[in-house]
Amino acid sequence: MSTNVPAAATSAAAQSEQSLPLRVGVIGLGFAGQAALKGYLALPDVDVIALAGLEADRLAELGKEHAIPHLYERWQDLLERDDLDAVSVATPTHLHAPISIAALESGKHVLCEKPLARSGEEAQAIVDAAVKANRVLKVCFNHRERGDVAVLKRHLDAGQLGRVYYAKAHWMRRNGIPGLGSWFTNREMAGGGPLIDLGVHMLDMALYLLGEPRVISVSASTFSELGPRGLGGSEYSAKLAVGSAYEVEDLATAFLRLEGGGALQLETSWATFRKPGDDFGVALYGTDGGAQISVENYAREDTLRIYTDVAGAPAEVRPRVLPGEGHRAVVREFVNLIRGGDWSAHVGRDGLARAQIIDACYLSALEGREVLVSAGA
Ligand SMILES: NC(=O)c1ccc[n+]([C@@H]2O[C@H](COP(=O)([O-])OP(=O)(O)OC[C@H]3O[C@@H](n4cnc5c(N)ncnc54)[C@H](O)[C@@H]3O)[C@@H](O)[C@H]2O)c1
């Protein structure tokens, strides 16, 4: 356990979760599931006692390597255990809702991968289940945990940029479709393409930095130009071979009007003709200063610039930042929230708001018009 001392817990369950090792299960053995697993293994007083995933060899290997006693192919079998306090859900996105809701209904806290769900409606059902069960639901927005984001957030909170009136966020890849023909490119399983996959991270980063302004409306366009021609695939993995046609967008752009008069431009692509690589970042334009996080190929150093005036001359500050801990920080916060006992405030509302905005973007692109974001977002 890390340093946060838990507040007084309100229920017997919370008290037991504070005093005993937390018993956790991880569902999904891909990149995301293994990142969560490592996060739990790094924490004292947390026991990973169950794993689930369809890859029998990987399941056995991970179980052996980390002495995890209970291994399942089917997530339903893992959730039947009544000795688990919490689960991580790191499966293809169409399974987030059924698994998370079943876990919450059986009294388990849930750390769910991003995007929380394929749609705002599904995300709402998961949040409702968390509220009803009085359990923590946390969505894994690991890029928010970067060191450059932490430094910029402190700078913003100190008012150094003044009022930020315009922001841009992007995640653009040259050749980065995560598995052509896999669940990622299947609309039913993924809910969408790079907008819901990568864009949700950048939407989260931008809205978090901006202090969570309400998004009033969106105007978006989506394109599907390379994927359907078999271009733009990444080496990342063949994934689960579902033999899907390319059914989602490969580039999306959206203009978001924010409460208070500000605007956010969001641009995201898995594959497009641009310089090689995999780049993301945000740019903020304020009344007293500006800032830019520019991450090329997952760089963790020298990624933040602050723009200001020094003695009347334009100046650029390059803060030295720590790399940040990504999934490890998210998992630690999740465990701290469970131990903290104040569960009702942590029911995945940020994940829901992101899902509602993304819904509005897809509707806007489909109908070719500006769309109001539903009131809850
Ligand atoms: N936060 C991040 O940085 C990040 C990175 C990658 C993926 N993700 C998200 O994590 C989720 C998983 O992505 P991934 O890249 O790890 O996918 P993946 O395809 O590599 O892994 C998915 C895992 O789910 C398991 N699974 C599928 N159906 C199952 C079932 N019926 N029962 C039990 N297990 C089942 C598979 O066996 C596999 O182990 C997605 O929602 C994705 O958007 C997040």
Side-chain angles (χ1 to χ4, degrees):
M1 257 301 292
S2 71
T3 49
N4 269 12
V5 178
T10 50
S11 72
Q15 279 162 14
S16 82
E17 281 154 13
Q18 287 176 13
S19 52
L20 300 170
L22 204 71
R23 293 151 305 181
V24 175
V26 175
I27 304 173
L29 310 174
F31 170 84
Q34 293 192 48
L37 176 60
K38 282 184 201 137
Y40 292 115
L41 293 171
L43 294 174
D45 297 327
V46 174
D47 290 343
V48 181
I49 62 168
L51 269 187
L54 301 179
E55 301 80 5
D57 291 354
R58 205 182 304 166
L59 184 66
E61 271 166 38
L62 288 168
K64 190 169 170 206
E65 186 181 348
H66 302 297
I68 299 166
H70 306 292
L71 307 176
Y72 304 94
E73 289 204 5
R74 282 163 34 93
W75 59 266
Q76 293 90 337
D77 296 334
L78 181 145
L79 288 189
E80 272 183 17
R81 299 196 69 82
D82 58 9
D83 56 355
L84 287 169
D85 300 305
V87 293
S88 261
V89 179
T91 58
T93 304
H94 69 294
L95 294 174
H96 289 187
I99 298 176
S100 298
I101 292 170
L104 290 161
E105 285 177 346
S106 66
K108 298 165 181 64
H109 303 281
V110 170
L111 175 59
C112 183
E113 264 303 338
K114 52 50 65 175
L116 175 55
R118 294 172 297 181
S119 67
E121 194 182 350
E122 264 190 350
Q124 181 74 63
I126 308 176
V127 169
D128 289 348
V131 171
K132 193 166 172 209
N134 186 26
R135 290 295 181 273
V136 173
L137 167 63
K138 186 168 172 64
V139 183
C140 187
F141 289 123
N142 47 305
H143 291 288
R144 194 200 287 186
E145 306 296 337
R146 294 177 55 89
D148 43 20
V149 173
V151 171
L152 180 51
K153 181 69 174 150
R154 289 203 297 276
H155 199 66
L156 282 156
D157 289 347
Q160 300 288 326
L161 301 192
R163 178 175 48 82
V164 178
Y165 51 90
Y166 181 48
K168 292 198 283 186
H170 73 278
W171 191 324
M172 299 290 285
R173 291 178 177 167
R174 170 68 172 84
N175 255 45
I177 299 172
L180 279 163
S182 77
W183 71 264
F184 274 101
T185 58
N186 178 293
R187 178 168 300 285
E188 178 64 19
M189 297 175 93
L195 176 60
I196 199 168
D197 178 44
L198 305 176
V200 74
H201 274 305
M202 302 321 295
L203 185 59
D204 177 73
M205 192 186 285
L207 294 178
Y208 168 70
L209 286 168
L210 292 172
E212 301 291 341
R214 200 165 80 75
V215 177
I216 307 287
S217 66
V218 306
S219 186
S221 292
T222 58
F223 304 88
S224 190
E225 299 291 345
L226 276 62
R229 289 188 280 146
L231 303 174
S234 74
E235 298 294 314
Y236 171 50
S237 83
K239 301 291 175 185
L240 300 179
V242 297
S244 168
Y246 193 93
E247 298 175 342
V248 295
E249 84 280 2
D250 56 24
L251 187 148
T253 181
F255 180 80
L256 285 63
R257 291 185 197 280
L258 308 179
E259 182 179 45
L264 167 64
Q265 181 76 44
L266 176 67
E267 192 183 53
T268 176
S269 176
W270 275 339
T272 193
F273 288 104
R274 65 184 296 276
K275 67 177 182 166
D278 187 337
D279 304 334
F280 63 84
V282 294
L284 305 181
Y285 302 89
T287 50
D288 297 330
Q292 184 155 12
I293 291 175
S294 179
V295 180
E296 298 202 348
N297 299 312
Y298 299 92
R300 280 145 60 101
E301 290 176 3
D302 197 27
T303 52
L304 175 61
R305 298 283 181 275
I306 305 236
Y307 301 106
T308 182
D309 280 344
V310 173
E316 183 180 300
V317 180
R318 301 179 171 202
R320 198 166 297 161
V321 298
L322 296 170
E325 294 182 292
H327 271 87
R328 194 178 273 215
V330 173
V331 169
R332 189 174 52 237
E333 281 168 29
F334 175 56
V335 168
N336 283 344
L337 289 175
I338 297 170
R339 302 261 191 214
D342 174 20
W343 301 339
S344 61
H346 305 287
V347 289
R349 293 202 195 281
D350 51 357
L352 169 61
R354 292 4 171 195
Q356 289 168 330
I357 294 162
I358 287 171
D359 269 4
C361 289
Y362 281 128
L363 182 62
S364 167
L366 185 70
E367 299 192 349
R369 62 178 178 91
E370 186 157 1
V371 166
L372 293 177
V373 177
S374 62

